[in-house]
Amino acid sequence: MARGTRETILTAAIELMRVHGYAALSMKQIVAASGAPIGSIYHHFPEGKGQIAREALVNSGVAYAAVIPMVMAEQLELGAGIRAAFAQAADDMESAGYANMCPVSTVAGEVANSDEPLRLAAASVFGDWITLGRMYFHSRGLAEDLAEEVVIAIICSLEGAFVMARTLRSKTPLLAAGRAVAGTYDGIALLPVPAGSQTLL
Amino acid sequence: MARGTRETILTAAIELMRVHGYAALSMKQIVAASGAPIGSIYHHFPEGKGQIAREALVNSGVAYAAVIPMVMAEQLELGAGIRAAFAQAADDMESAGYANMCPVSTVAGEVANSDEPLRLAAASVFGDWITLGRMYFHSRGLAEDLAEEVVIAIICSLEGAFVMARTLRSKTPLLAAGRAVAGTYDGIALLPVPAGSQTLL
DNA sequence: GTCTATAAGAGGATAGAC
DNA sequence: GTCTATCCTCTTATAGAC
């Protein structure tokens, strides 16, 4: 199927927001990056820039929800799994030249106290990550309360370390943050992933 | 001493950046919030908005460097101290109605891949936090390597949890993130603060 | 659904009197 | 060092032909 104009616009917006955030993103940049003329953009997104950002954020969030299950799949011990996840993130970030990995947290920081509709979009992404993560770790044998605490801690630490790593151009923050979170959960066993099981998405 | 115009402008810029970040901050807002006319602002900051943001970020960073020593002063065990610090942050944030506490991380996220001078200003703030924190925990009896790892982990986790807490309007992320980091360092003793010792600033 | 042209305003920054 | 008036660009968004 040919990718629709709508999707092209959203993809361009996600890429641009990873670099520029929300406020510094202009419709002209979206025009240039997507190839869609301004009239088409407003045809598909009548509410303009805010609507594009909201949908782009949600799309982007869905894509990242699959990352933790993917990284954890082979792991049978929680602490080791967390260390592996952060080490993987550190390597990815270094290979990408410390480009931003994900716009959600960047945009959330910009708008949490100044743009309620966008704040709600970001909140829904975080909420979905937490819900899916809790379900995932519960399916791997953790009690629900512990499962939720683990996901929240991983996301907070990872997002904070992403910002610091990008700013300092160093993977040290990711490795240090990963070790710190992992230590608390060393020795906790993870059930193996049932054969043929699907990602939660 | 009467507070100079320069300081008034910087203070206004810090407050505005906490709410709006960097890109969405306008000179007109700085004019309104500081009371200084636009001409005076460019007299004091000839390089304009970017220069104001750089200096505001650094000023703001210096102020926050004192927080960890303050919160940790009474603590004699590292894990408990970390839990206390995050609990304190959670209470502060709730009382403030989930307003942003500190613009450094928000702005760092916006500019890390798009505005090199501002990225460097943010990097210098993070770097100072790490250096001062390493010195502080070392003075409390931790080996330098461990001291540095602890500060980095605390800052990453705290900054990530701030964003999530503001976005979700909940202190749960701060408490969960704090517990996760603290667990790794439970049982590590802190030397008492020497009587009459000064903060590192 | 696509595209061009343009409106209406806000943006950062400057000039120059005081 | 303060302040007003203004410049020019870039912004979001719309109108309306195709």
Side-chain angles (χ1 to χ4, degrees), chain A residues 180, chain B residues 68 71-72 74-86 133 136-138 140-143 145-151 153-154 178-179 181-191:
Chain B
I68 285 185
V71 176
M72 290 283 166
E74 307 283 308
Q75 305 286 337
L76 294 174
E77 198 265 315
L78 182 54
I82 293 174
R83 256 180 293 264
F86 279 77
Y136 176 76
F137 282 116
H138 185 55
R140 293 280 240 124
L142 271 53
D145 283 2
L146 175 60
E148 174 158 323
E149 176 136 330
V150 168
V151 207
I154 291 176
R179 280 190 295 261
V181 172
T184 297
Y185 303 114
D186 269 334
I188 298 180
L190 292 176
L191 296 181

Side-chain angles (χ1 to χ4, degrees), chain A residues 98 112-113 149 169 179-180 184, chain B residues 98 112-113 149 169 180 184:
Chain A
Y98 298 98
N113 302 106
E149 178 136 329
R169 299 279 145 90
R179 280 189 296 259
T184 297
Chain B
Y98 298 98
N113 302 106
E149 176 136 330
R169 299 279 144 92
T184 297

Side-chain angles (χ1 to χ4, degrees), chain A residues 18-21 23-24 97-100 104-106 108-114 116 119-120 122-124 126-127 129-130 148-149 151-153 155-157 159-164 166-169 172-177 179-185, chain B residues 18-21 23-24 97-100 104-106 108-114 116 119-120 122-124 126-127 129-130 148-149 151-153 155-157 159-164 166-169 172-177 179-185:
Chain A
R18 293 195 339 182
V19 178
H20 299 99
Y98 298 98
N100 196 359
V104 177
S105 188
T106 306
E110 284 186 83
V111 302
N113 302 106
S114 58
E116 190 64 5
R119 186 215 123 212
L120 288 169
S124 120
F126 283 142
W129 285 352
I130 293 170
E148 173 158 326
E149 178 136 329
V151 207
I152 294 178
I155 299 172
C156 288
S157 204
E159 295 287 358
F162 273 144
V163 176
M164 192 181 284
R166 288 167 56 213
T167 303
L168 295 179
R169 299 279 145 90
T172 303
L174 280 160
L175 300 175
R179 280 189 296 259
V181 172
T184 297
Y185 303 113
Chain B
R18 293 194 340 182
V19 178
H20 298 99
Y98 298 98
N100 194 359
V104 177
S105 187
T106 306
E110 285 185 81
V111 303
N113 302 106
S114 59
E116 189 65 5
R119 187 216 122 212
L120 288 170
S124 121
F126 283 142
W129 285 351
I130 293 170
E148 174 158 323
E149 176 136 330
V151 207
I152 293 178
I155 298 173
C156 288
S157 203
E159 295 286 359
F162 273 144
V163 175
M164 192 182 286
R166 289 167 55 212
T167 303
L168 296 178
R169 299 279 144 92
T172 303
L174 280 160
L175 300 174
R179 280 190 295 261
V181 172
T184 297
Y185 303 114

Side-chain angles (χ1 to χ4, degrees), chain A residues 1-5 7-8:
Chain A
M1 67 184 179
R3 257 162 52 91
T5 305
E7 280 67 38
T8 309

Side-chain angles (χ1 to χ4, degrees), chain B residues 39-66:
Chain B
S40 292
I41 293 179
Y42 276 93
H43 171 75
H44 291 287
F45 301 92
E47 292 162 50
K49 180 178 157 179
Q51 183 187 6
I52 296 174
R54 290 192 305 271
E55 295 196 27
L57 223 54
V58 171
N59 276 22
S60 179
V62 168
Y64 282 98

